[in-house]
């Protein structure tokens, strides 16, 4: 049974359009799936930082005399060398001399460090002593600062001493200041009832 021609052509065109639509690619998905080869700034700065750190370590090792890498193995002295025993003895002597020189250098450095430490300690002690002397002088000056005003108005100064131990109560600096100002002063014994009469009489006579 034959089909009408027009209906067949219409179905064919519709089917080809559906095939073309299914074969079309979404450009958004393609762009998302495609990775960019451009380097990110984070990776760029990270690589630059690592390079700077590596160069810094190389310069540090160069200053310290550190050579990294595999050292070449010493092939040694061949047996056919005519003066092999003599050369080995010379090398051993050189190694011993080098060890002794390194030990002497270490001892010299220790002595230098000890001398420098002793000098620093002496300087620090001297500075501390000077600072303590300045503080004491300032403290004495501050303590006797109002004394001059009091002595200017006083006609006689009474220095009170404990009769139990008068010498411990005396102030040589105060008495020296009174003598410099030409102010008369008298020593007065207090708490006389707490000591025997013989001791009190002896202190008064002294």
């Amino acid at each position: 049974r034959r089909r009408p021609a027009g209906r067949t052509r219409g179905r064919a065109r519709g089917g080809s359009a559906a095939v073309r639509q299914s074969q079309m690619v979404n450009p958004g998905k393609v762009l998302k799936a495609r990775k960019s080869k451009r380097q990110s700034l984070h990776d760029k700065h990270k690589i630059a930082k690592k390079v700077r750190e590596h160069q810094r370590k190389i310069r540090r090792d160069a200053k310290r005399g550190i050579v990294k890498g595999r050292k070449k193995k010493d092939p040694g002295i061949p047996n056919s060398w005519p003066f092999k025993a003599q050369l080995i003895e010379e090398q051993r002597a050189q190694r011993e001399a080098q060890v002794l020189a390194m030990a002497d250098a270490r001892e010299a450095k220790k002595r230098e460090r000890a001398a420098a430490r002793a000098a620093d300690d002496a300087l620090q002690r001297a500075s501390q002593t000077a600072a303590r002397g300045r503080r004491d002088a300032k403290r004495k000056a501050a303590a006797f600062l109002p004394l001059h005003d009091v002595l200017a108005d006083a006609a006689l100064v009474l220095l009170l001493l404990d009769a139990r131990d008068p010498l411990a109560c005396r102030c040589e600096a105060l008495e020296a200041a009174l003598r410099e100002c030409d102010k008369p002063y008298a020593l007065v014994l207090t708490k006389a009832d707490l000591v025997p009469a013989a001791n009190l009489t002896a202190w008064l006579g002294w």
Side-chain angles (χ1 to χ4, degrees):
R1 185 178 179 180
R2 298 183 63 184
R3 295 179 180 179
R7 187 178 297 178
T8 304
R9 285 195 299 271
R11 288 181 180 178
R13 284 197 299 270
S16 61
V19 171
R20 285 197 302 271
Q21 187 176 1
S22 63
Q23 291 178 353
M24 289 180 64
V25 180
N26 189 358
K29 292 183 178 180
V30 173
L31 292 177
K32 288 181 180 179
R34 187 181 302 167
K35 293 183 179 180
S36 176
K37 296 183 180 179
R38 181 179 298 176
Q39 190 181 35
S40 64
L41 288 178
H42 175 73
D43 294 341
K44 181 179 179 181
H45 294 317
K46 185 176 181 181
I47 293 172
K49 182 179 178 181
K50 286 185 176 293
V51 169
R52 288 194 302 269
E53 185 69 18
H54 178 67
Q55 296 295 334
R56 185 186 66 80
K57 289 182 179 180
I58 290 177
R59 291 193 299 269
R60 181 196 61 189
D61 294 341
K63 287 181 180 179
R64 295 179 180 179
I66 300 175
V67 179
K68 292 186 177 181
R70 184 176 297 177
K71 295 182 180 179
K72 294 182 178 180
K73 187 177 180 180
D74 187 9
I77 304 172
N79 294 328
S80 61
W81 189 261
F83 306 102
K84 180 178 180 179
Q86 183 179 357
L87 186 58
I88 291 175
E89 186 66 23
E90 290 178 359
Q91 290 180 354
R92 186 183 62 80
Q94 289 179 0
R95 285 194 298 270
E96 292 180 356
Q98 187 176 4
V99 169
L100 292 176
M102 291 175 65
D104 294 340
R106 284 195 297 269
E107 293 296 330
K109 287 184 179 180
K110 288 182 179 179
R111 289 193 296 269
E112 289 179 1
R113 286 195 295 268
R117 194 181 301 111
D120 293 340
D121 293 342
L123 182 61
Q124 187 175 3
R125 286 194 298 269
S127 63
Q128 290 177 356
T129 303
R132 191 181 300 110
R134 288 193 298 269
R135 286 196 301 270
D136 294 341
K138 289 182 180 179
R139 191 179 297 111
K140 289 180 180 179
F144 290 106
L145 186 61
L147 181 63
H148 299 285
D149 298 336
V150 175
L151 295 179
D153 299 334
L156 177 64
V157 179
L158 300 178
L159 301 179
L160 303 181
L161 306 178
D162 194 340
R164 292 172 293 182
D165 192 3
L167 294 180
C169 300
R170 295 189 65 175
C171 182
E172 296 294 338
L174 179 58
E175 295 180 11
L178 291 173
R179 287 192 294 270
E180 290 178 0
C181 297
D182 294 332
K183 287 290 180 177
Y185 63 94
L187 303 178
V188 181
L189 291 177
T190 61
K191 300 181 181 180
D193 56 339
L194 299 179
V195 296
N199 293 349
L200 183 62
T201 305
W203 278 116
L204 289 175
W206 184 81

